């Protein structure tokens, strides 16, 4: 077991709209204050929470659900646990160390991501870093880079319309809107980080085995295969990231293959463990 | 004999100084009251350039959302901030260029710290600035109306005073 | 005096920990006793050894000679972290489980919770300890504060240097000694103590255990 540090650079292949809320009538990208020689600048970033779910947990767990034949067989609580970490709902908490140890053995991905059973918290071992925009304001993180553009150069806006349903001529407009009703056209807009922007982010798998490293790498591969999306508006093509790993002391293909073989070999026991938790 | 208050120890600042974290900050050179007045002056000038295509009854709501949106877009660049505000209220370029109160603010020679303090004040005291700006705007409107009436009455009187030589 | 500095590579959520508490937890993990430290169980009688000097004050023994964290804070703002039930995966549910789910309350409640975060590039502690063992223990501390799994409080590197003075409990100032860490409220506190307020809590790790709660003074 060792602590693996996986560093990545992800390039935006479509506008990134990882939002923090609205200001006025415009959706605003998530930003963080960064101290620069010229003062505090607000620079877009990607939250670790979002990366943790979209890049690691969701793709990895969905693959396991398919491989373990659990599609159409999960309870709501099991779905919530696998995909979202679950909830502590019982008033009397327990520390069933056997259950924890079995989870570590049977579900390497869940050892990384952790979760909560109704009466027990299962701590994870994975730290997911925030995504730092590669820009002039974040120069302190990229000392070897000579020329970096300021963050403002990586920002733009988008504007879409939701069409007026009356113009389709399908609905009986007199019943729905009235003959002289207001237009149903809606314009919505917001900020986005433009294509070509790069984010530096990473993962720290503490005291992990090669199998768990393989679980993490396999999740990242699955995430990329499904478009590598982060943030909102994915249905409109936003949020695609192309992720590249910085070199590390592991054989990516070997780790992934080892994890896949291992996960498939644990199938029956893993499913039995899951069912046992919600007996 | 004159006395002055005893200096108070700021323990948190003392600990930071001890840890070597104290360094001079780039504070604004404008006093806080001047920043406040400039903020009110700026907002009070916006009705002069408010877009004709917009509903005038939404004047102050629109100005409020303009300030909020502009600060979200820029907290360090004063020109970008003002441009974003003017775009949001659909100001016509001709009116904006000829608006003297706006010119006064855009051409003012402020330091970066002054500009940031001014924008930060507008963002954090938005509603209060709107109230003061509306009051200033109404006052300016009343004054213009009074001056116009005075001019008109002078013209009326002048029209009744026969020119010299006719009496 | 040892001056330990943490250089952070990401914003800090929550409060920075006491260095002695951090070292005790790391040592407890190495000794295999960390899992036995729980709120509902009495604490072990023997204290966990850490490479920092301990002294007594009042009736409390083994108070580490280590100051509270001193943060170089530049900005403070609020971020949010959210969770929602992924109803787009409803097809994974068994037929009987495809129910109407309340997402405004109860188990599957969606949330978007605020988190106050701070831009803190450096955190410093003053202590009386051994440099190399302290750094060895800190080598496995990759992040501090809250929500570390989401990337907050990531430590880029640790540094420890020797310096003159002993500011771990009190630091002299013109107005009087300034309190530098939480200590028991007792008669042994120096007169004219500055920068403190009374509270009820812990001054020795584990700070969260009810057995440690007592009348204390904390730096403010």
């Amino acid at each position: 077991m060792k602590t693996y540090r996986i560093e990545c650079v992800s390039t935006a292949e479509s506008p990134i709209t990882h939002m923090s809320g609205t200001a006025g009538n415009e959706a605003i990208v998530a930003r963080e204050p960064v101290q620069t020689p010229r003062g505090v600048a607000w620079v877009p970033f990607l939250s670790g929470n979002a990366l943790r779910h979209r890049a690691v947990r969701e793709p990895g767990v969905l693959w396991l659900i398919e491989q373990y034949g659990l599609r159409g067989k999960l309870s709501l609580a099991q779905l919530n646990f696998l995909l979202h970490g679950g909830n502590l709902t019982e008033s009397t908490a327990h520390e069933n160390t056997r259950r924890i140890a079995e989870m570590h053995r049977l579900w390497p991905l869940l050892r990384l991501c952790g979760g909560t059973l109704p009466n027990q918290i299962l701590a994870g071992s994975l730290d997911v870093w925030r995504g730092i925009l590669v820009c002039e304001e974040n120069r302190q993180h990229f000392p070897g880079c000579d020329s970096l553009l300021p963050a403002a150069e990586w920002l733009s806006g988008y504007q879409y319309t939701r069409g007026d349903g009356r113009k389709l001529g399908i609905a009986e407009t007199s019943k729905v809107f009235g003959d002289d009703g207001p237009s149903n056209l809606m314009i919505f807009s917001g900020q986005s980080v433009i294509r070509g922007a790069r984010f530096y982010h990473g993962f720290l798998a503490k005291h992990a085995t090669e199998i768990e490293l393989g679980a993490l790498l396999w999740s990242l591969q699955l995430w990329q295969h499904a478009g590598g999306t982060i943030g909102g508006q994915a249905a409109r093509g936003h949020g695609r990231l192309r992720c590249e790993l910085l070199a590390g002391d592991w054989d990516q293909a070997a780790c992934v293959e080892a994890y896949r073989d291992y996960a498939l070999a644990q199938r029956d026991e893993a499913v039995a463990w899951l069912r046992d938790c919600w007996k | 004999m004159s006395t002055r208050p005893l200096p108070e120890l700021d323990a948190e600042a003392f600990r930071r100084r001890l840890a070597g974290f104290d360094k001079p900050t780039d504070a604004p050179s404008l006093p806080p009251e001047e920043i406040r007045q400039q903020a009110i002056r700026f907002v009070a000038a916006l009705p002069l350039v408010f877009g004709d295509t917009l509903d005038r009854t939404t004047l102050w709501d629109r100005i409020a959302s303009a300030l909020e949106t502009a600060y979200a877009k820029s907290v360090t660049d004063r020109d970008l901030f003002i441009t974003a505000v003017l775009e949001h209220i659909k100001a016509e370029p001709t009116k904006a260029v000829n608006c003297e109160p706006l010119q006064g603010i855009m051409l003012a020679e402020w330091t970066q710290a002054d500009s940031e303090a001014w924008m930060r004040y507008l963002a954090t005291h938005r509603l209060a600035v709107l109230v003061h700006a509306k009051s200033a705007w109404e006052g300016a409107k009343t004054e213009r109306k009074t001056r116009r009436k005075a001019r008109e009455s002078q013209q009326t009187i002048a029209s009744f005073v026969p020119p010299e030589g006719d009496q | 005096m040892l001056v330990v500095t943490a250089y952070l590579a990401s914003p800090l959520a929550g409060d920075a920990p006491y260095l002695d508490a951090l070292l005790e937890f790391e040592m407890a993990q190495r000794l295999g006793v960390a899992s036995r430290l729980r709120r509902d169980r009495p604490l072990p009688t023997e204290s966990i050894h850490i490479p920092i000097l301990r002294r007594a004050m009042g009736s409390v023994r083994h108070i580490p000679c280590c100051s509270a964290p001193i943060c170089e804070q530049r900005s403070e703002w609020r971020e949010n972290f959210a969770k929602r039930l992924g109803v787009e995966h409803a097809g994974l549910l068994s037929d009987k489980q495809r129910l109407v789910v309340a997402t405004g309350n109860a188990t599957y409640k969606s949330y978007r919770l605020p988190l106050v975060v701070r831009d803190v590039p450096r955190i410093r502690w003053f202590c009386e300890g051994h440099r190399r063992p302290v750094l060895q223990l800190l080598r496995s501390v990759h992040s501090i504060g809250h929500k570390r799994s989401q990337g907050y409080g990531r430590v880029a590197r640790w540094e420890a240097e020797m310096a003159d003075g002993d500011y771990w409990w009190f630091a002299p100032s013109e107005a009087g000694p300034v309190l530098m860490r939480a200590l028991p409220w007792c008669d042994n506190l120096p007169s004219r103590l500055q920068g403190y307020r009374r509270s009820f809590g812990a001054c020795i790790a584990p700070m969260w255990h009810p057995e440690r709660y007592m009348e204390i003074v904390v730096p403010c």
Side-chain angles (χ1 to χ4, degrees), chain B residues 48-69:
Chain B
L48 286 170
V49 297
F50 194 75
D52 294 329
T53 56
L54 297 173
D55 183 358
R56 196 82 187 178
T57 58
T58 65
L59 175 70
W60 296 106
D61 283 331
R62 189 84 187 181
I63 290 174
S65 66
L67 295 173
E68 194 179 1
T69 307

Side-chain angles (χ1 to χ4, degrees), chain B residues 58-121:
Chain B
T58 65
L59 175 70
W60 296 106
D61 283 331
R62 189 84 187 181
I63 290 174
S65 66
L67 295 173
E68 194 179 1
T69 307
Y71 193 70
K73 289 179 177 169
S74 173
V75 297
T76 52
D77 188 333
R78 180 168 40 131
D79 287 343
L80 183 60
F81 176 86
I82 293 175
T83 303
V85 170
L86 294 177
E87 281 176 354
H88 195 86
I89 60 173
K90 306 264 189 269
E92 288 174 22
T94 316
K95 277 190 187 173
V97 158
N98 293 322
C99 179
E100 281 185 22
L102 272 185
Q103 279 179 14
I105 287 168
M106 292 192 73
L107 300 177
E109 289 183 4
W110 291 350
T111 64
Q112 180 65 24
D114 291 337
S115 297
E116 289 180 14
W118 177 76
M119 288 186 283
R120 200 164 42 244
Y121 188 88

Side-chain angles (χ1 to χ4, degrees), chain A residues 222-252:
Chain A
L222 290 168
W223 171 55
Q224 285 291 287
H225 182 71
T229 56
I230 196 79
Q233 308 275 2
R236 293 179 186 83
H238 288 210
R240 287 183 42 222
L241 287 174
R242 187 183 76 245
C243 180
E244 294 163 272
L245 299 188
L246 301 184
D249 59 343
W250 53 78
D251 182 339
Q252 191 181 154

Side-chain angles (χ1 to χ4, degrees), chain A residues 20 72 74 76 84 87 128 130, chain C residues 79 86 92 94 97 112 149 151:
Chain A
S20 67
L74 290 171
L76 197 53
H84 304 294
N87 285 70
V128 179
R130 291 153 79 84
Chain C
E79 291 185 357
L92 301 174
S94 70
Q97 289 285 311
R112 186 168 181 265
S149 63

Side-chain angles (χ1 to χ4, degrees), chain A residues 15-26:
Chain A
I16 305 294
T17 43
H18 183 48
M19 317 311 288
S20 67
T22 55
N25 59 357
E26 196 165 332

